[in-house]
Amino acid sequence: MEMSMIVNASLLHTSRIAPPSYASFRFSRGGGGCFHRRSPDATTMFSKKKSCRLGVVACSAAAAAEMASVDEIAAVEKEKASVSVSKIRVSSGCPMPLGAVSRDDGVNLAIFSNGATAVTLCLFTPSDLEQNRVTEEIPFDHLVNRTGDIWHIFLHRDDFKLEDMLYGYRLDGPYSPQDGHYFDASLVVLDPYAKAVLSRGGYGVTGLGGDCWPQMAGMLPSLQNEFDWEGDLPLQFPKRDLIIYELHIRGFTRHESSKTNFPGTYLGVVEKLDHIKDLGINCIELMPFHEFNELEYFDHNSTLGNNRLNFWGYSTINYFSPMLRYSYAGMQNCGRDAINEVKLMVREAHKRGIEVIMDVVYNHTAEGNEKGPTLSFRGIDNRVYYTLGPKGEFYNYSGCGNTFNCNHPIVRQFIVDSLRYWVTEMHIDGFRFDLATIMTRTSSMWDADNIYGNLSDHDMLPVGTPLADSPILDLITNDPVLSGVKLIAEAWDAAGLYQVGKFPHQGVWSEWNGQYRDIVRQFIKGTDCFSGAFAQSLCGSPNLYQEGGRKPWNSINFVCVHDGFTLADLVTYNKKHNLSNGENNNDGENHNNSWNCGEEGEFASIHVRKLRKKQMRNLFLCLMVSQGVPMINMGDEYGHTKVGNNNSYCHDTHINYFRWDKMEESTCSDLFRFCRLMNKFRSECECLGLDDFPTSERLQWHGHIPEKPDWSDNSRFVAFSMKDSVKGAIYVAFNANHLPVTISLPELQGYRWEPLVDTSKPAPYDFLADDLPDKSSAIQQYTSFLDANIYPMLSYSSIILLLRPNA
């Protein structure tokens, strides 16, 4: 039987301000970054929270009566009556599960902290949160409200409308940074398990008094917030069949040319899902939309005369809450409506045959190093949640100030709990793990008994040592809930641990293949000594993945992603042009393997512009005919430019917005047509999404002469033919030389080759699709060559031919 008690407390302030009109925030906008995406001093840019803005306004009822007018007192009494917070019946509660869980008769709250000496539950009304005021505080009793290292309490519903309240915690304990402790009872910190985080209503809008870090609080769950999934079930596409599209939720529809009803939101994505479907995409990888603070880098950018924002979002505050300011509803209904918008987005994507993968950042948090703000983990148990040195210093393998202590037992269970939540509650299909090699590093407080439960050779490993049998990866891989989802690792970190081809895959993990990107860029622009490596890339990089039993789908192939040049900029700029970031062009990658085709910048001669068009098509064609899983960067299908900026993390502007108006321009629409048809072609070819690496029984390499490939250092020509159960056979060739060449084709009795793709031809003849009105006439122009079993390839071009029976 639980011991119950009544907490009587008057409201601790004298006047109220009505909750803001959420509609006033809906069209206010503002935007992110991560390790090299920041300047070197980014982790020192945080300012300490002012304890006074989080403290309780101490004012007795008598003093309040003297200070307030009759109207103010009446307003207070009216709000008291409406929210009924003067009496709350509480009891001891249960230690599991962690977080806030709604029951028929109330809400159970539980939070882990090993080092805290005292815990207090803080409740807020939405209007009080806006004013940085705590509405009510309930201290925990050591004997009644603690089991082991878990503090817990139960709030009885009675006549009290718990769903209208928000919550946080004060944790008291030692403040000794040299020992890794940062307890501070003057701060109210977030529950790591909170399902929605409320702070500011509008994107890019500061809090009270221009505060970029106003008080945050979690949502108390409600039993009534159900969502109609309409029978939604996981699509469970085989990885080999995926075509992934990396998408930024806000950037996708924020530009006015999107003409959406809900620009820059989850609902805006829903309005444009048909574009993604039409492009031939069956999986979207959403850049981070865990709750983060877009005002994290809010300082003046003297170059543009505006303020820098955190647009990309690689700086997580809470791993259970979706980014509320990506929603149209915002803080309405205490964030529950925003959660339903995410569910709607996922459901509508599934209806169109599109899976949804989350980009997640479990390598570090928004709290940064010792100079950063205390928001949640640091104030709850810093020694547990972060990887620390012997003097309490923060290890910085992430490049963002701190490193999440992923292989600590408490932290790894927390990570799995959050992943499970997104799969079971939000129907997410998979996850891409940012800087995933950090999850292979030993935690601080590492010892065999702590991690494995028994002594072993692992006992003496230093902090940060890479593990072949990482506990967190083992837990994720073998979790019964997560067993059927896609798991993708970015297999490197900011401290130099590079594991592409060596990430502990356990048979199910795929990797962002950064080597594929670098090799393809080098070969296509005509760099010597890359023909052999390019051929390996076309085969799914067996040199990286075949050993150890992996398959082609373990390689996520990409040429461009959010981090780096866009496809159009890759062929337009030799150097980065990041001055608009306000960091003197010192940020961003210097080695891009790009080529401007002869002239720097967008304004170039006709000859250069034609070459750039060919090169974009060559790169995209290569991506679509390679074994492995292709991934496309948002906007590359129409040639989006960031004007040479390869590190656009801080811009909430047209630089990062999908330009729907550009899609309608003839040049861009021609590229979109080519990309759409190439995606369709890949999906139709059985031979381009194999379960295993191709062998000589199916694949044949060629040079200028059939079956005589040239792997010499100065070779810039690679060609292959493949048997295909649908198409019969395909022939693909790349001429990355500055000179044209006439090639001989493989001969098969009773068959002839028919042209399909030639990137040297102007649109729409670059892809001879069935709906081309004069397709037969276009093919006829090749007759004299194909009758002689030869084909002329211009410089910097690629082709696809199909095998057809003789008429």
Side-chain angles (χ1 to χ4, degrees):
M1 180 180 294
E2 292 184 328
M3 181 183 298
S4 51
M5 53 186 169
I6 300 290
V7 176
N8 296 295
S10 60
L11 299 182
L12 300 177
H13 52 273
T14 60
S15 62
R16 301 301 183 111
I17 295 179
S21 168
Y22 295 104
S24 67
F25 293 125
R26 286 174 182 165
F27 302 104
S28 300
R29 296 292 182 253
C34 185
F35 68 104
H36 72 268
R37 307 152 192 161
R38 295 185 180 182
S39 64
D41 298 326
T43 54
T44 67
M45 293 168 61
F46 299 107
S47 60
K48 291 286 187 180
K49 284 190 171 184
K50 301 179 181 69
S51 60
C52 61
R53 66 184 165 94
L54 300 177
V56 176
V57 179
C59 187
S60 68
E66 293 177 4
M67 295 168 58
S69 67
V70 173
D71 289 341
E72 289 173 327
I73 294 172
V76 171
E77 292 304 317
K78 181 177 179 180
E79 187 168 348
K80 280 185 182 181
S82 65
V83 297
S84 303
V85 294
S86 59
K87 288 187 178 181
I88 306 172
R89 186 163 64 94
V90 303
S91 51
S92 62
C94 301
M96 298 300 288
L98 293 173
V101 179
S102 187
R103 307 295 187 200
D104 289 339
D105 53 344
V107 175
N108 191 82
L109 296 108
I111 185 170
F112 162 86
S113 181
N114 169 265
T117 58
V119 176
T120 300
L121 176 66
C122 298
L123 297 176
F124 302 83
T125 62
S127 58
D128 276 354
L129 179 67
E130 183 196 1
Q131 296 297 319
N132 290 330
R133 295 184 296 205
V134 178
T135 305
E136 191 143 358
E137 303 202 27
I138 304 173
F140 284 45
D141 185 290
H142 284 75
L143 299 177
V144 175
N145 301 114
R146 184 174 186 177
T147 302
D149 290 333
I150 299 178
W151 303 73
H152 46 84
I153 198 166
F154 191 87
L155 305 182
H156 291 266
R157 204 173 298 278
D158 296 336
D159 294 329
F160 181 69
K161 243 186 142 181
L162 292 174
E163 57 266 27
D164 290 340
M165 299 296 292
L166 310 169
Y167 77 104
Y169 293 100
R170 295 187 192 278
L171 288 92
D172 204 356
Y175 185 87
S176 53
Q178 69 277 9
D179 298 316
H181 294 304
Y182 286 83
F183 291 102
D184 187 346
S186 70
L187 305 179
V188 180
V189 296
L190 277 171
D191 179 3
Y193 281 80
K195 302 307 186 292
V197 173
L198 287 82
S199 58
R200 297 177 291 103
Y203 189 95
V205 179
T206 59
L208 191 66
D211 193 350
C212 292
W213 292 94
Q215 177 62 51
M216 292 179 283
M219 167 200 72
L220 285 177
S222 168
L223 289 174
Q224 282 72 48
N225 194 49
E226 293 190 4
F227 178 79
D228 183 4
W229 281 103
E230 299 180 359
D232 179 66
L233 293 172
L235 297 174
Q236 295 186 326
F237 294 139
K239 272 190 179 179
R240 67 175 185 272
D241 294 337
L242 295 182
I243 300 178
I244 301 175
Y245 185 86
E246 189 190 31
L247 183 151
H248 188 281
I249 290 168
R250 179 171 171 81
F252 194 48
T253 62
R254 184 65 190 92
H255 197 266
E256 59 270 15
S257 63
S258 72
K259 299 178 182 178
T260 56
N261 295 311
F262 310 100
T265 67
Y266 304 113
L267 297 181
V269 173
V270 173
E271 293 183 80
K272 292 296 187 178
L273 284 174
D274 287 338
H275 164 79
I276 296 172
K277 180 68 174 177
D278 186 41
L279 180 58
I281 302 298
N282 60 8
C283 180
I284 52 176
E285 183 178 298
L286 301 176
M287 288 178 65
F289 65 98
H290 279 143
E291 182 67 29
F292 69 93
N293 184 1
E294 75 278 9
L295 300 182
E296 182 176 358
Y297 316 137
F298 196 69
D299 63 344
H300 185 67
N301 184 341
S302 59
T303 305
L304 295 183
N306 59 7
N307 288 303
R308 299 197 314 160
L309 298 176
N310 180 346
F311 188 77
W312 284 352
Y314 289 90
S315 195
T316 307
I317 289 173
N318 181 277
Y319 293 96
F320 283 83
S321 172
M323 175 66 165
L324 293 195
R325 292 174 299 285
Y326 279 174
S327 70
Y328 180 73
M331 295 195 299
Q332 290 184 95
N333 196 17
C334 293
R336 298 181 190 90
D337 292 347
I339 293 173
N340 284 341
E341 287 186 28
V342 177
K343 293 179 178 179
L344 177 67
M345 176 184 67
V346 175
R347 186 191 73 190
E348 294 305 305
H350 286 174
K351 284 182 179 179
R352 292 164 174 80
I354 301 171
E355 291 191 335
V356 181
I357 289 176
M358 288 183 72
D359 194 341
V360 292
V361 189
Y362 290 106
N363 58 79
H364 76 284
T365 77
E367 291 183 306
N369 58 21
E370 69 281 355
K371 297 180 181 180
T374 296
L375 308 171
S376 178
F377 306 99
R378 193 199 311 281
I380 293 170
D381 214 319
N382 186 72
R383 281 172 55 86
V384 167
Y385 284 108
Y386 294 115
T387 304
L388 305 178
K391 296 182 180 179
E393 65 272 24
F394 289 87
Y395 280 102
N396 189 20
Y397 299 121
S398 68
C400 295
N402 64 51
T403 301
F404 215 43
N405 207 18
C406 297
N407 279 307
H408 186 282
I410 294 297
V411 182
R412 70 175 187 255
Q413 188 59 56
F414 167 79
I415 292 172
V416 168
D417 287 346
S418 68
L419 294 172
R420 283 177 173 177
Y421 172 79
W422 288 96
V423 171
T424 59
E425 294 296 322
M426 312 297 274
H427 291 203
I428 292 296
D429 300 287
F431 305 92
R432 178 265 184 186
F433 293 79
D434 183 68
L435 302 186
T437 59
I438 283 176
M439 297 196 299
T440 72
R441 294 182 181 270
T442 54
S443 63
S444 50
M445 301 173 63
W446 176 274
D447 62 80
D449 186 58
N450 188 22
I451 303 299
Y452 295 104
N454 61 282
L455 295 177
S456 73
D457 293 337
H458 298 278
D459 195 31
M460 301 304 294
L461 291 178
V463 173
T465 301
L467 297 167
D469 51 352
S470 161
I472 178 58
L473 295 183
D474 180 71
L475 193 60
I476 293 171
T477 304
N478 295 295
D479 184 80
V481 173
L482 304 176
S483 62
V485 305
K486 274 75 176 180
L487 301 172
I488 302 171
E490 184 184 37
W492 56 83
D493 64 29
L497 180 56
Y498 190 81
Q499 295 180 323
V500 172
K502 301 175 183 177
F503 190 80
H505 58 92
Q506 302 195 37
V508 299
W509 286 77
S510 296
E511 300 171 8
W512 269 26
N513 189 347
Q515 291 194 30
Y516 176 95
R517 170 199 60 205
D518 298 338
I519 291 168
V520 167
R521 288 183 179 190
Q522 292 272 35
F523 179 81
I524 293 296
K525 76 187 181 93
T527 306
D528 285 339
C529 304
F530 278 92
S531 58
F534 181 70
Q536 292 271 18
S537 298
L538 291 170
C539 290
S541 304
N543 55 312
L544 294 176
Y545 298 111
Q546 193 165 28
E547 186 176 351
R550 281 191 272 192
K551 305 297 180 182
W553 50 260
N554 286 115
S555 175
I556 305 298
N557 301 330
F558 62 96
V559 174
C560 301
V561 290
H562 70 275
D563 198 355
F565 279 146
T566 66
L567 184 63
D569 289 350
L570 187 65
V571 300
T572 306
Y573 298 94
N574 280 353
K575 299 179 181 179
K576 66 184 182 183
H577 294 264
N578 296 356
L579 285 173
S580 61
N581 296 354
E583 301 179 34
N584 296 318
N585 211 38
N586 291 322
D587 62 305
E589 179 60 59
N590 290 315
H591 306 287
N592 297 284
N593 296 318
S594 61
W595 179 40
N596 63 16
C597 297
E599 298 177 34
E600 188 80 354
E602 291 189 74
F603 300 101
S605 64
I606 294 176
H607 168 74
V608 167
R609 292 202 300 270
K610 286 182 178 179
L611 177 55
R612 289 173 180 173
K613 288 180 183 180
K614 284 197 295 181
Q615 288 293 74
M616 283 193 285
R617 284 160 172 77
N618 292 335
L619 290 162
F620 197 90
L621 185 149
C622 172
L623 189 62
M624 288 301 127
V625 300
S626 298
Q627 300 298 325
V629 179
M631 182 173 66
I632 304 166
N633 181 37
M634 181 184 87
D636 280 350
E637 70 267 34
Y638 70 86
H640 180 77
T641 178
K642 296 183 180 180
V643 202
N645 192 321
N646 72 352
N647 188 33
S648 62
Y649 72 95
C650 58
H651 296 286
D652 182 40
T653 67
H654 64 89
I655 288 178
N656 283 318
Y657 295 165
F658 192 103
R659 294 292 301 272
W660 296 93
D661 53 340
K662 294 292 184 182
M663 279 280 296
E664 299 173 1
E665 297 179 3
S666 59
T667 300
C668 296
S669 62
D670 288 344
L671 179 59
F672 173 76
R673 173 186 178 272
F674 181 86
C675 294
R676 176 176 58 81
L677 290 171
M678 278 304 309
N679 288 347
K680 183 174 181 289
F681 174 75
R682 178 184 177 86
S683 299
E684 292 173 348
C685 285
E686 167 266 342
C687 70
L688 296 181
L690 298 177
D691 275 327
D692 213 337
F693 298 100
T695 65
S696 58
E697 294 180 1
R698 177 190 286 267
L699 173 92
Q700 181 65 57
W701 295 105
H702 308 289
H704 296 163
I705 299 173
E707 301 183 23
K708 291 188 177 181
D710 182 1
W711 306 124
S712 64
D713 288 348
N714 60 355
S715 172
R716 299 183 185 180
F717 182 86
V718 171
F720 67 91
S721 58
M722 284 192 78
K723 297 176 182 177
D724 186 87
S725 62
V726 177
K727 303 292 184 180
I730 64 172
Y731 177 92
V732 182
F734 298 88
N735 179 24
N737 205 309
H738 64 284
L739 298 173
V741 61
T742 299
I743 60 174
S744 298
L745 301 173
E747 292 191 44
L748 289 120
Q749 183 113 13
Y751 293 87
R752 58 178 288 138
W753 294 103
E754 180 179 290
L756 179 69
V757 178
D758 188 334
T759 61
S760 69
K761 305 298 181 185
Y765 303 105
D766 53 354
F767 198 115
L768 302 180
D770 290 337
D771 59 355
L772 193 65
D774 54 348
K775 177 183 176 181
S776 58
S777 299
I779 292 177
Q780 195 68 28
Q781 297 177 15
Y782 295 89
T783 301
S784 59
F785 295 107
L786 295 176
D787 284 347
N789 217 43
I790 60 174
Y791 193 95
M793 290 187 68
L794 296 185
S795 61
Y796 298 109
S797 68
S798 50
I799 63 170
I800 300 177
L801 309 178
L802 300 179
L803 191 66
R804 300 297 191 204
N806 287 327

